[in-house]
Amino acid sequence: MTDRLLLLAPRINDTGLHLLTAARRRGLRAQTATRWRVPEGLAESGAAVHLYGGPLFADAVGRELGIAALADPQDWLAGLPRELTGRAVVLTTLAEARGLRRPAFVKPPNDKLFPARIYPDGTGLPGADALEDDFPVLVSDIVTFRREYRLFVLDGTVRTGSRYLLDGRLDLAPLEEDPLRREVLAFAAEVLAEGGLPSAIVVDVGLLADGTWAVVEANCAWASGGYACDPEAVLDTVLRAAGPESACAPADLPFRRPLPEIVR
């Protein structure tokens, strides 16, 4: 049997600690990297490596380790029907977004190369000296979410979920304990029926101030906090979301994050 290993980024968070425990409980080797590079000898060991960490860690070690790190398409949120997003969302370029002359919520689709937040206009976005003009960004109308939920999705089914925000404040609770659990799952089923996502992903949804449900965003499972989700179900999703490319299902191949070749 091929040796399997869960490799975590050096800056381990609470979710990472829960994943370490869950992995070792089921007999899966797990370790935290000490640097932002492949641990010595790991690439030559023949181990089937899975990854948990942010985009920078995936970019630093993923290609050398032969990992397929699944991500939502950059245009997924913008391509959803308005009745599921509750607002206008467009995928555009940073150059175009710099021309905004109105407040908008602006974020990178799959990275954290600048803060995702409300910008009074486009003048506060990174300049051409920081990011290329054609860098993709999502621009959304401003809405107010009263409640927000994180859902770890595997094979089109919500495996575990957590409330994480209540009226703008961090407020964690397992989805099973939330009074709106059935509504969350019913809305999630509508969203997932639209398709367009890899087999292992995180989808955040929320309740707007007007009482309607809307998608917040999708996120890479291998880079997402688990909040009050069940660690075992989070681990199942993470293992699928970032594992050996040789084991990647054909349907998931188009969702692989492009990983750079690191020259040392």
Side-chain angles (χ1 to χ4, degrees), residues 11-40:
R11 294 178 190 163
I12 192 167
N13 55 21
D14 286 345
T15 302
L17 291 173
H18 289 314
L19 290 176
L20 279 174
T21 301
R24 290 168 177 167
R25 187 182 297 123
R26 66 174 68 175
L28 175 66
R29 279 205 304 137
Q31 73 178 72
T32 303
T34 57
R35 295 185 293 171
W36 296 87
R37 61 187 304 170
V38 175
E40 187 174 353

Side-chain angles (χ1 to χ4, degrees), residues 6-254:
L6 175 64
L7 182 66
L8 294 96
R11 294 178 190 163
I12 192 167
N13 55 21
D14 286 345
T15 302
L17 291 173
H18 289 314
L19 290 176
L20 279 174
T21 301
R24 290 168 177 167
R25 187 182 297 123
R26 66 174 68 175
L28 175 66
R29 279 205 304 137
Q31 73 178 72
T32 303
T34 57
R35 295 185 293 171
W36 296 87
R37 61 187 304 170
V38 175
E40 187 174 353
L42 181 56
E44 298 77 30
S45 69
V49 182
H50 302 260
L51 175 148
Y52 178 77
L56 292 178
F57 186 58
D59 288 349
V61 305
R63 184 162 179 172
E64 187 174 349
L65 291 173
I67 290 173
L70 305 182
D72 53 296
Q74 293 180 337
D75 62 352
W76 179 75
L77 184 63
L80 288 176
R82 179 70 175 261
E83 57 265 27
L84 295 180
T85 61
R87 63 207 186 275
V89 184
V90 297
L91 177 69
T92 185
T93 64
L94 188 53
E96 289 291 331
R98 291 190 193 112
L100 284 169
R101 293 299 176 261
R102 61 175 176 84
F105 185 89
V106 186
K107 71 181 292 289
N110 299 120
D111 289 281
K112 300 182 184 296
L113 296 182
F114 66 86
R117 61 176 176 84
I118 295 173
Y119 289 83
D121 56 42
T123 60
L125 292 167
D129 57 333
L131 288 173
E132 298 290 336
D133 286 348
D134 61 355
F135 184 81
V137 295
L138 287 168
V139 177
S140 305
D141 286 346
I142 299 169
V143 293
T144 299
F145 284 95
R146 293 176 49 209
R147 309 170 77 97
E148 294 184 38
Y149 300 84
R150 171 145 297 174
L151 308 173
F152 280 80
V153 177
L154 190 60
D155 292 324
T157 300
V158 175
R159 291 294 304 276
T160 183
S162 169
R163 185 182 71 227
Y164 63 90
L165 279 182
L166 187 60
D167 292 325
R169 304 185 310 275
L170 189 66
D171 190 285
L172 305 184
L175 183 59
E176 291 76 11
E177 299 176 9
D178 188 89
L180 302 185
R181 172 182 174 274
R182 290 188 178 182
E183 292 181 47
V184 172
L185 292 176
F187 179 70
E190 289 185 53
V191 175
L192 296 173
E194 290 290 320
L197 291 172
S199 67
I201 197 71
V202 161
V203 177
D204 294 344
V205 302
L207 185 67
L208 294 172
D210 65 3
T212 61
W213 289 93
V215 178
V216 179
E217 62 183 0
N219 289 289
C220 303
W222 46 266
S224 296
Y227 297 125
C229 290
D230 171 32
E232 294 287 344
V234 172
L235 178 59
D236 288 337
T237 310
V238 168
L239 293 176
R240 176 82 65 80
E245 185 162 3
S246 59
C248 186
D252 278 331
L253 291 176

